[in-house]
Amino acid sequence: FPGGGWGVPLIRPFIVCPSKVNEVFGISRTTALKMEKMDYDFPKRIQLSPNRWGWITSELEEYFLNRPRKEPH
């Protein structure tokens, strides 16, 4: 099983909070929040409780998979 160790599969979270977006997607919290604000196509967070917000993981995955790729310089 990839990533899990001890035969345990790596389980991805259903919701990714801003504080964990770097661990899951490799972009900083600040970058994710800026992208949400400035990029019309970037997924919007959902409210989980009065003070807790997060992105749906599958929406972020879809966004990043469908981004145009740039040629390396």
Side-chain angles (χ1 to χ4, degrees):
F1 294 103
W6 297 97
V8 178
L10 182 63
I11 299 172
R12 65 185 174 107
F14 180 72
I15 301 291
V16 179
C17 296
S19 62
K20 300 293 182 186
V21 73
N22 183 270
E23 291 176 30
V24 181
F25 288 96
I27 62 169
S28 73
R29 173 186 182 275
T30 302
T31 298
L33 293 171
K34 283 181 185 177
M35 290 174 77
E36 180 185 52
K37 191 175 192 176
M38 302 184 81
D39 184 345
Y40 178 77
D41 294 326
F42 195 81
K44 303 299 181 223
R45 288 171 289 159
I46 61 169
Q47 189 167 10
L48 304 169
S49 67
N51 295 312
R52 190 94 166 153
W53 293 76
W55 291 280
I56 297 174
T57 302
S58 61
E59 290 180 0
L60 288 175
E61 288 173 339
E62 184 177 340
Y63 172 82
F64 287 117
L65 287 172
N66 292 315
R67 282 191 79 178
R69 299 182 191 272
K70 290 185 178 181
E71 292 294 321
H73 296 266

